[in-house]
């Protein structure tokens, strides 16, 4: 096995709760949200979460938002602008953070840490991304260029998906896991098909209705509310998936159809202390039990959830059998299957309403989206314990454990 380490694992000795969780739909690449910045998407989900939280904006003590590719013009100010535009007081501080694909999870974790340290009682947390707005860049011309030099344009979106440390695109790391865990192209295609079908069935029965807040966009001069994820392709067939070429390796298992979608969206969660919840008489969605982060070899970055989940379960004195729902971000079918195989997670517990292959993977949003979805599932009585997790580009993993109240 490749060398890995767990640097942070925590099971809380105090109760901290999620009192509200709202997200936008996941907009397709170049779709309905292409002209709405990551900041503005987060403002929409944050306002919706605050409205459902039981807390007034002035009762929220901090804003922590995850964002990865910094595609908006005001990205340097993102969390601060989200807090102010969502109605929080001027005196309320804000933090924008980046743990790549784990950023949405990390924002919630940091909110909990501030509460545990006594720095806050209530935190606005979440994650946001607009990948459609990733700009092209021209390097090295800030101070001019020589006569006859035609500097190339750089696609910052694509470059951001390549780890220059190990000199590999993320898709190659997924091929490495397919080889290591003997995951066939057929298995990957079937898993991808399952993700699409599960999303469709879940959407039909209203499984996302409690968590999605509308985003108004102009369509032919009319205001239209986007309330459904745009990336899923529920009409996908196995035959269509089988015809797609492998992208990163000749004869490989990773195709466009078995990879997560490039998307836009935001999710926001209100995290509160036991004292704040009791004082307001709020019934939370769920309790945050603990979390773990881990480092793994960057060439198999998709394996990151394995040591993170394993350490978290051990710290909480639980086993895979005790967890009712697992949400592992589907960066790639081979990656998600390798995690399931390594931890022996039954597929009937894994991403039961579809994952990022269907919904898409707006980088900074995904962790917050997963926790939003699990929070509502727990509040509906669908689980007692649930774990949300993600692999992280560069070779990390992150996991958060939730429990019913």
């Amino acid at each position: 096995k490749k060398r890995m380490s767990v640097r942070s694992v925590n099971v809380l000795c105090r109760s901290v709760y999620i009192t509200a969780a709202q997200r936008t739909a996941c907009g397709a690449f170049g779709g309905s949200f292409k002209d709405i910045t990551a900041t503005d998407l987060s403002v929409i989900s944050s306002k919706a979460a605050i409205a459902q939280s039981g807390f007034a904006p002035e009762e929220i003590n901090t804003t922590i938002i995850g964002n990865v590719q910094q595609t908006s013009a005001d990205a340097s100010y993102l969390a601060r602008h989200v807090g102010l535009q969502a109605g929080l007081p001027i005196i309320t501080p804000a933090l924008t953070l980046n743990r790549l694909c784990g950023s949405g999870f990390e924002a919630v974790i940091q909110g909990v840490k501030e509460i545990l340290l006594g720095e806050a009682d209530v935190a606005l947390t979440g994650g946001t991304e607009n990948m459609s707005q990733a700009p092209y860049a021209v390097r090295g011309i800030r101070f001019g260029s020589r006569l006859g030099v035609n500097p190339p344009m750089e696609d910052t979106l694509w470059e951001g998906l390549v780890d220059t440390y190990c000199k590999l695109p993320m898709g190659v790391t997924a091929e490495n896991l397919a080889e290591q865990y003997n995951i066939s192209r057929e298995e990957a295609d079937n898993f991808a098909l399952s993700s699409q079908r599960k999303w469709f069935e879940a959407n039909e029965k209203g499984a996302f209705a409690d968590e999605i807040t509308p985003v108004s966009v102009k369509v032919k001069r009319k205001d239209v509310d986007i309330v459904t994820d745009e990336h899923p392709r529920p009409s996908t067939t196995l035959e269509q998936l089988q015809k797609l070429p492998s992208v990163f390796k000749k004869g490989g298992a990773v195709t466009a159809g078995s990879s997560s979608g490039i998307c836009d969206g935001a999710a926001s969660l209100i995290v509160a202390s036991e004292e704040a919840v009791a004082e307001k008489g709020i019934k939370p969605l769920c309790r945050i039990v603990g979390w773990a982060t881990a480092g793994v070899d960057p060439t198999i970055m998709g394996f990151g959830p394995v040591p993170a989940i394993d350490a978290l379960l051990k710290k909480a004195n639980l086993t895979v059998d005790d967890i009712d729902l697992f949400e592992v971000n589907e960066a790639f079918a081979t990656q998600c299957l390798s995690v399931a195989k390594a931890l022996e997670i039954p597929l009937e517990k894994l991403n039961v309403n579809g994952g990022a292959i269907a919904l898409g993977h707006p980088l900074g949003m995904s962790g917050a989206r997963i926790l939003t979805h699990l929070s509502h599932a727990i509040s509906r009585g669908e689980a007692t314990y649930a774990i949300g997790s993600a692999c992280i580009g560069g070779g990390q993993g992150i996991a958060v454990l939730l429990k019913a109240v």
Side-chain angles (χ1 to χ4, degrees):
K1 290 185 177 181
K2 298 282 186 177
R3 188 164 59 92
M4 63 190 72
S5 66
V6 178
R7 293 299 185 195
S8 173
V9 58
N10 196 327
V11 169
L12 308 188
C13 56
R14 290 174 52 198
S15 293
V16 179
Y17 299 98
I18 295 173
T19 70
Q22 288 288 288
R23 71 174 178 95
T24 69
C26 289
F29 186 53
S32 294
F33 300 163
K34 64 181 175 61
D35 297 320
I36 305 175
T37 67
T39 304
D40 290 339
L41 287 170
S42 188
V43 170
I44 292 167
S45 62
S46 296
K47 285 182 175 179
I50 293 168
Q52 294 190 5
S53 70
F55 295 102
E58 59 269 21
E59 294 176 307
I60 298 172
N61 312 119
T62 186
T63 301
I64 306 171
I65 306 294
N67 180 238
V68 178
Q69 290 209 310
Q70 302 269 290
T71 60
S72 58
D74 68 342
S76 299
Y77 308 88
L78 191 146
R80 178 62 169 163
H81 284 181
V82 169
L84 292 175
Q85 292 183 60
L88 273 60
I90 290 288
I91 60 172
T92 306
L95 169 68
T96 307
L97 60 79
N98 180 1
R99 197 191 279 270
L100 288 91
C101 308
S103 297
F105 287 116
E106 186 64 34
V108 173
I109 292 169
Q110 291 299 323
V112 176
K113 286 182 176 181
E114 289 198 14
I115 290 170
L116 294 176
L117 289 169
E119 297 176 358
D121 290 310
V122 185
L124 166 60
T125 68
T128 185
E129 204 77 31
N130 190 311
M131 301 178 79
S132 295
Q133 291 192 352
Y136 281 83
V138 181
R139 306 282 183 185
I141 64 168
R142 169 69 64 187
F143 305 104
S145 62
R146 290 177 294 137
L147 179 66
V149 172
N150 185 21
M153 295 183 70
E154 176 186 299
D155 182 351
T156 62
L157 176 58
W158 178 255
E159 291 302 319
L161 301 176
V162 176
D163 182 354
T164 56
Y165 176 81
C166 61
K167 300 179 175 60
L168 294 178
M170 295 298 98
V172 174
T173 72
E175 288 286 8
N176 291 342
L177 283 171
E179 183 177 342
Q180 186 172 327
Y181 278 86
N182 298 314
I183 298 168
S184 67
R185 167 68 185 268
E186 181 182 8
E187 286 180 275
D189 286 345
N190 278 308
F191 186 82
L193 181 64
S194 173
S195 184
Q196 299 285 357
R197 288 179 173 172
K198 286 189 288 187
W199 175 89
F200 175 75
E201 292 168 4
N203 190 61
E204 287 290 293
K205 68 182 183 183
F208 305 111
D210 293 338
E211 66 193 58
I212 295 181
T213 192
V215 178
S216 181
V217 300
K218 289 283 187 184
V219 179
K220 296 181 179 179
R221 299 183 182 178
K222 294 183 179 180
D223 290 326
V224 176
D225 284 342
I226 305 301
V227 294
T228 305
D229 298 310
E230 291 185 331
H231 184 267
R233 298 185 178 186
S235 61
T236 298
T237 66
L238 184 60
E239 290 73 25
Q240 290 172 329
L241 290 169
Q242 290 170 336
K243 290 178 181 178
L244 294 173
S246 56
V247 179
F248 299 98
K249 178 182 177 182
K250 186 176 180 180
V254 179
T255 71
S258 61
S259 304
S260 56
I262 295 172
C263 284
D264 314 320
S268 301
L269 303 93
I270 304 299
V271 178
S273 68
E274 183 174 22
E275 295 78 10
V277 166
E279 183 179 336
K280 299 285 288 188
I282 294 168
K283 183 176 183 350
L285 295 175
C286 63
R287 179 166 69 88
I288 300 169
V289 178
W291 62 81
T293 55
V296 299
D297 189 311
T299 65
I300 52 167
M301 69 89 198
F303 196 70
V306 174
I309 293 173
D310 183 59
L312 182 54
L313 288 173
K314 288 176 179 175
K315 187 77 171 180
N317 198 28
L318 297 170
T319 69
V320 167
D321 292 338
D322 296 314
I323 309 302
D324 303 296
L325 294 174
F326 286 90
E327 286 279 328
V328 177
N329 191 47
E330 294 172 357
F332 303 92
T334 56
Q335 164 267 325
C336 202
L337 283 168
S338 71
V339 170
K341 286 188 175 184
L343 291 171
E344 298 183 350
I345 298 173
L347 292 185
E348 58 268 22
K349 289 185 177 184
L350 178 64
N351 300 351
V352 297
N353 292 323
I357 290 172
L359 285 93
H361 177 23
L363 303 176
M365 174 204 191
S366 287
R369 177 196 69 77
I370 287 171
L371 291 180
T372 293
H373 187 63
L374 288 175
S375 296
H376 285 283
I378 289 173
S379 74
R380 292 192 295 264
E382 296 171 14
T384 299
Y385 282 108
I387 284 181
S389 184
C391 61
I392 299 171
Q396 296 187 80
I398 192 166
V400 175
L401 175 61
L402 306 178
K403 186 181 180 182
V405 178

